Amino acid sequence: MKILVCASTTPDTTTKISFVNGNTKFNTEGVSYILNPYDEWYALVRALEIKEALGTGSVTLLTVGPASDEANIRKGLAIGADDAVRIDAEPISAFFTATQIAEFARGKGYDLLLFGKETIDHNGSEVPAMVAELLDLPFVSYASSLQLEGRTAVLDRDIEGGKEVVEAPLPIVVSAAKGMAEQRIANMRGIMMAKTKPYQTVPPVAVDPKTSIAAFELPKPKSGVKLVDADNMSELVRLLHEEAKVI
Amino acid sequence: MSVLVYAESPGGKLKKNALEAVTYGHKTAKALGTDLVVLTIGPAEGAEQLGRYGASKVWQASAGDFDSRQYAAIVAGAAQKAGADVVVLSHSSTGKSIAGRVAVRLGASSIGGATSLPTVEGGGLRVRKNVFSGKAIADCLLGGGAKVISITGNTFPPEVVDANASTAIEQITVDAPAASVKVRERKTVEGVVPLPEAETVVSAGRGMKGPENWGIVDELAQVLGATTACSRPVADVHWRPHHEHVGQTGIAIRPNLYIAIGISGAIQHLAGVNQSKCIVVVNKDPEAPFFKAADYGVVGDLFEVVPRLTEALKAHKAGQ
Ligand SMILES: Cc1cc2nc3c(=O)[nH]c(=O)nc-3n(C[C@H](O)[C@H](O)[C@H](O)COP(=O)(O)OP(=O)(O)OC[C@H]3O[C@@H](n4cnc5c(N)ncnc54)[C@H](O)[C@@H]3O)c2cc1C
Ligand SMILES: Nc1ncnc2c1ncn2[C@@H]1O[C@H](COP(=O)(O)O)[C@@H](O)[C@H]1O
């Protein structure tokens, strides 16, 4: 079983977001980066579990990003990926990133291409579907469970108000949601081994990103909380009805 | 030139998110001075109503269970047939599974999770979306050629533009690959509005002390017709199901009213809920960070406050 796990890096979830250059650029000063949680906690861990259960196969971690992503890629190796690839480019748009991933994966015979359901910085949920189309593969999104029955993948797919159990033949593209696996913490042995695992850097292919970001904005802060006495819930109801007009 | 909307009908019915997409498509078509074609795939109860929401034409294509490759090919094929510059989808589980595929098929620029109508800029469009899980907003430029826009739920209320309009429905066939994904089983919870579409959400956190205490939350949700949600630790310890977990690593929501009970308001929680139009916080700690992000706050013991609020709402309803 040859598995490719695509993971991006993203600002730590506690990051206070701000922008520079007239609100056109994310202010990276003092920001620490993590692997995108869905990619690390669910896609990567499930890939490792599948490999372990079969007792054979390989898990390759792929990131499209700058050299500063290396520490996080090493973390993915420490958790258990066999080797890692970094495509040396800023992931400037979903289409740009998807093209890099698809061009790398094409013809390499991956059985499973695992993604997170979305990045917590771009929040697009676009890249995996694009990769699937570029490679003409089936795609199941928001999978909260992934089992293999021979060459058939059986997945729970989160849908609005429920779940669908679906099956599809390998090779397949899957995006992972909460429930697919439990987060793993790298141990000392993993961290030591990660230092010597294969890690290659690949140049990007040239492609029109098609979509770009012109400017950023911060949401308007709330004007201040109106406190209502705990004994006076009919006053709260009145405010919600007459002032906020939400009930 | 035209705008094509794919109005999804999971379970064979057009729901609110489909009507939101049609309304968005209608406004976009008007701004671009062009027509709106609405596509449905498979059974789509309610399609005969779409003219009232501004569809000039409704096209129906047939297909079996949802398969992203097949459905995307049908949407892209219909877009080509309509000569569409803009394709609009819902940013739902269906929409997210196909938006990227449709964009690739059409060689289009794209945006996932639009929160504004497009404005014309050069040969392209400018559209906003949330980034950093709701901590910021990005103004995106979609380059020339076709554009695929998937829209955030509960953001563009459906509008009837002509109550008497009839709907011209036409069956179309589009070449598409056979489905490779088969549905084995479907488990849906009937009668509950899914969180991303919910207008009112009642959410509770660790302040509840244990799963056995959720009755007061359910009761409050019931009088409000609200969907229930929870903070992450509560889902992690299985007090509540995973699908209720909202926040940066859960579901992002934007209801009209969000009531947070016994939730401290950690930055990761706020990220997924701060786009709610009105936020009410119930917490016994006046220093809880959530109060800074709230419109209305009640400092007090939730076990006393929540039942009182439920009673007050019942009285309000009875008096209406
Ligand atoms: C990478 C990462 C991602 C995360 N993603 C998310 C996410 O998506 N969503 C999320 O929710 N969290 C997320 N978290 C967790 C987040 O940091 C907080 O730990 C979590 O939101 C806290 O949950 P809580 O408010 O229920 O619990 P607590 O922080 O323990 O707060 C409980 C609150 O209840 C109040 N309370 C207690 N008793 C009563 C009472 N009787 N009456 C009234 N009030 C009472 C307390 O004053 C307190 O404010 C994430 C964390 C990390 C590290
Ligand atoms: N720069 C990147 N490098 C590798 N994988 C990525 C990158 N960006 C996105 N992905 C993958 O695509 C998924 C969805 O990303 P997005 O479309 O940005 O929400 C992520 O969870 C990752 O698995």
Side-chain angles (χ1 to χ4, degrees):
Chain A
M1 189 70 40
K2 246 183 113 166
I3 307 176
L4 182 68
V5 176
C6 296
S8 76
T9 59
T10 172
D12 177 355
T13 56
T14 58
T15 308
K16 293 243 160 41
I17 304 296
S18 66
F19 302 99
V20 291
N21 294 359
N23 281 336
T24 56
K25 227 181 134 304
F26 174 55
N27 183 4
T28 54
E29 206 183 299
V31 173
S32 62
Y33 285 79
I34 56 170
L35 283 174
N36 188 48
Y38 298 107
D39 312 354
E40 179 197 319
W41 301 349
Y42 311 131
L44 175 59
V45 176
R46 189 65 194 130
L48 297 172
E49 289 171 354
I50 289 172
K51 186 190 124 175
E52 287 157 7
L54 292 172
T56 152
S58 63
V59 176
T60 299
L61 186 67
L62 173 62
T63 299
V64 181
S68 53
D69 283 351
E70 181 165 340
N72 273 305
I73 297 171
R74 292 275 177 213
K75 183 180 168 203
L77 290 170
I79 292 169
D82 297 300
D83 63 316
V85 179
R86 180 175 64 83
I87 298 176
D88 187 22
E90 285 291 339
I92 43 180
S93 78
F95 181 69
F96 177 88
T97 303
T99 304
Q100 305 306 328
I101 294 170
E103 288 316 312
F104 174 82
R106 197 184 293 283
K108 291 204 173 63
Y110 290 108
D111 302 290
L112 264 175
L113 293 90
L114 288 180
F115 291 77
K117 70 166 189 180
E118 72 176 80
T119 45
I120 63 169
D121 49 358
H122 295 287
N123 303 108
S125 268
E126 292 188 283
V127 170
M130 288 178 170
V131 172
E133 191 63 32
L134 289 163
L135 298 174
D136 193 25
L137 290 175
F139 166 49
V140 174
S141 66
Y142 284 59
S144 55
S145 160
L146 162 61
Q147 308 291 335
L148 294 182
E149 294 176 0
R151 298 283 302 165
T152 301
V154 181
L155 305 114
D156 283 357
R157 180 171 93 91
D158 289 351
I159 55 173
E160 282 78 17
K163 252 186 205 346
E164 238 172 37
V165 185
V166 301
E167 61 169 62
L170 300 183
I172 188 176
V173 176
V174 173
S175 77
K178 186 172 188 178
M180 186 182 273
E182 297 282 340
Q183 183 180 3
R184 279 190 191 178
I185 311 290
N187 58 24
M188 212 47 201
R189 187 161 159 268
I191 294 167
M192 292 313 292
M193 277 168 62
K195 295 193 172 129
T196 55
K197 282 181 176 172
Y199 169 74
Q200 56 165 321
T201 306
V202 175
V205 295
V207 57
D208 172 5
K210 295 189 191 285
T211 307
S212 59
I213 294 178
F216 293 98
E217 205 180 293
L218 293 174
K220 284 181 208 72
K222 292 276 182 187
S223 51
V225 60
K226 206 176 243 185
L227 290 179
V228 181
D229 195 273
D231 292 323
N232 197 356
M233 283 303 98
S234 49
E235 171 64 3
L236 178 59
V237 171
R238 187 190 70 76
L239 288 167
L240 292 177
H241 182 61
E242 290 174 12
E243 192 176 75
K245 299 190 170 60
V246 289
I247 57 168
Chain B
M1 218 174 86
S2 69
V3 172
L4 181 99
V5 170
Y6 167 46
E8 64 182 47
S9 50
K13 270 193 207 124
L14 294 174
K15 292 198 293 194
K16 190 175 134 218
N17 68 351
L19 300 180
E20 291 173 347
V22 173
T23 291
Y24 187 97
H26 171 72
K27 292 189 172 173
T28 303
K30 238 170 79 181
L32 299 176
T34 175
D35 281 343
L36 169 64
V37 180
V38 178
L39 171 73
T40 63
I41 303 178
E45 198 185 313
E48 67 290 344
Q49 299 289 321
L50 292 174
R52 303 170 60 220
Y53 293 89
S56 320
K57 277 185 213 154
V58 174
W59 287 353
Q60 293 197 316
S62 56
D65 284 337
F66 180 70
D67 172 281
S68 67
R69 178 160 51 177
Q70 185 183 52
Y71 274 52
I74 296 172
V75 174
Q80 277 159 340
K81 196 173 151 95
D85 307 294
V86 180
V87 177
V88 179
L89 310 162
S90 300
H91 200 54
S92 59
S93 63
T94 300
K96 289 170 189 168
S97 309
I98 61 172
R101 301 197 82 130
V102 173
V104 166
R105 286 189 89 95
L106 296 174
S109 54
S110 62
I111 181 167
T115 55
S116 78
L117 285 163
T119 51
V120 177
E121 180 143 329
L125 295 177
R126 192 187 262 260
V127 190
R128 291 156 72 87
K129 67 165 289 189
N130 291 331
V131 287
F132 298 104
S133 302
K135 291 179 190 170
I137 300 151
D139 227 336
C140 299
L141 289 178
L142 279 62
K147 292 138 199 112
V148 174
I149 301 175
S150 71
I151 64 163
T152 299
N154 209 34
T155 307
F156 306 97
E159 281 174 31
V160 171
V161 289
D162 179 357
N164 301 316
S166 62
T167 309
I169 297 184
E170 192 187 323
Q171 305 295 323
I172 61 159
T173 48
V174 181
D175 276 340
S180 48
V181 177
K182 284 197 204 77
V183 177
R184 281 192 179 176
E185 197 187 330
R186 205 168 274 128
K187 308 171 194 163
T188 46
V189 196
E190 287 299 329
V192 179
V193 185
L195 275 174
E197 293 166 25
E199 288 176 10
T200 310
V201 173
V202 173
S203 188
R206 280 218 303 227
M208 294 296 295
K209 307 280 188 290
E212 66 282 5
N213 296 329
W214 243 264
I216 54 171
V217 172
D218 288 333
E219 228 179 302
L220 174 60
Q222 209 177 356
V223 262
L224 283 165
T227 303
T228 49
C230 69
S231 68
R232 175 173 158 214
V234 158
D236 281 352
V237 297
H238 306 293
W239 290 2
R240 302 296 295 175
H242 282 319
H243 65 76
E244 281 198 359
H245 159 191
V246 292
Q248 189 159 10
T249 52
I251 296 175
I253 55 170
R254 44 191 297 142
N256 300 341
L257 173 60
Y258 183 72
I259 303 183
I261 300 162
I263 300 177
S264 56
I267 187 166
Q268 298 97 344
H269 184 86
L270 295 180
V273 305
N274 65 1
Q275 308 270 321
S276 308
K277 281 161 209 114
C278 175
I279 295 179
V280 176
V281 169
V282 179
N283 199 303
K284 69 174 181 190
D285 174 10
E287 300 299 322
F290 218 145
F291 284 117
K292 291 203 179 66
D295 298 281
Y296 301 101
V298 183
V299 178
D301 185 343
L302 67 90
F303 295 103
E304 289 165 17
V305 171
V306 173
R308 273 184 217 146
L309 176 55
T310 306
E311 285 316 309
L313 281 162
K314 282 187 183 157
H316 167 77
K317 265 181 139 178
Q320 264 189 336

